[in-house]
Amino acid sequence: MDLTPTGDEPAARRPAGKTPTGHRAGPLWAGEELPALEIPVTRTLIVAGAVASRDYQDVHHDAEAAREKGSPDIFMNILTTNGLVGRYITDYLGPAAVLRRVAIRLGVPSYPGDTLVLTGRVTSVEAASGPASDGYRDGPADGAPSPKGAAPPAPTAGGSAGGSAGGPPGGVTGGVTAQVRVTGANSLGSHVTGIVTVFLPGVLVDPGDPGDPGATRAASGDAS
């Protein structure tokens, strides 16, 4: 099924297409709902996440110690939850997406044997600029020099990475900054809520359907 927008649908109803790698492609607009992601909460995930984030509190890996402190079992730490929220966004938007800020608040614990269901909604999309290739997701502020060893800036739709006429300054590419409200729930209730700010390079602001002034959209430079 071809999900490429034809231009005939109302802006707020145009479906997102898919890239060959399975990530979304095409218009992005405020109000877009992300598909839910179900994550089995295993004992291995909880322990591995705690160790990977260097959180050695015993309540995240020692069930007996956790019970002695009043918990029925070990439970996921906030850094693992934070990582899963970030992964949810980048899995959907693709590897070019740069996480600028992940601000979350925890609710009920997440214990082994449960399922964490993440859902999201794009709340805003606006024009922005940022590093063309900063070598990591939480990179420097927009326009800051890339770290040593990073790949050279990639060409942009408006010109070369070196700042040719019509293009942005060297190392900076046009794009959009979007905010996504994320919630995560398990069998006990709300586990996490938060806002993720993400930069999408090489994406141009599209004013949307003139007949629908409330629609705020963005479209990739090569979208048909």
Side-chain angles (χ1 to χ4, degrees):
M1 179 179 180
D2 184 6
L3 295 179
T4 303
T6 64
D8 298 327
E9 307 90 344
R13 295 182 181 178
R14 295 180 188 175
K18 292 288 186 181
T19 67
T21 57
H23 300 105
R24 77 173 308 286
L28 175 68
W29 57 88
E32 178 175 345
E33 302 283 344
L34 280 64
L37 174 65
E38 295 188 2
I39 302 173
V41 181
T42 65
R43 196 168 298 274
T44 298
L45 174 62
I46 294 174
V47 175
V51 172
S53 57
R54 299 184 179 182
D55 183 349
Y56 304 118
Q57 291 287 330
D58 52 16
V59 293
H60 302 310
H61 65 264
D62 188 329
E64 183 177 350
R67 284 190 288 269
E68 290 176 354
K69 295 181 179 180
S71 176
D73 207 334
I74 61 172
F75 53 91
M76 186 177 292
N77 73 341
I78 188 172
L79 296 175
T80 301
T81 300
N82 193 82
L84 293 174
V85 168
R87 166 209 162 179
Y88 176 50
I89 300 300
T90 56
D91 275 5
Y92 182 64
L93 295 177
V98 180
L99 298 179
R100 288 300 183 201
R101 186 167 186 262
V102 179
I104 64 172
R105 180 186 297 272
L106 290 185
V108 299
S110 198
Y111 296 115
D114 209 339
T115 299
L116 176 63
V117 181
L118 296 175
T119 56
R121 183 176 186 272
V122 179
T123 58
S124 68
V125 181
E126 60 185 30
S129 62
S133 178
D134 57 17
Y136 49 88
R137 297 204 187 282
D138 283 320
D142 290 352
S146 298
K148 292 182 179 179
T156 67
S160 71
S164 298
V172 179
T173 182
V176 298
T177 293
Q179 288 197 329
V180 184
R181 181 177 297 277
V182 177
T183 60
N186 57 30
S187 64
L188 298 178
S190 175
H191 170 66
V192 62
T193 57
I195 296 288
V196 177
T197 303
V198 58
F199 173 69
L200 298 171
V203 175
L204 306 177
V205 171
D206 184 326
D209 185 344
D212 184 7
T216 302
R217 303 186 287 122
S220 60
D222 59 357
S224 59

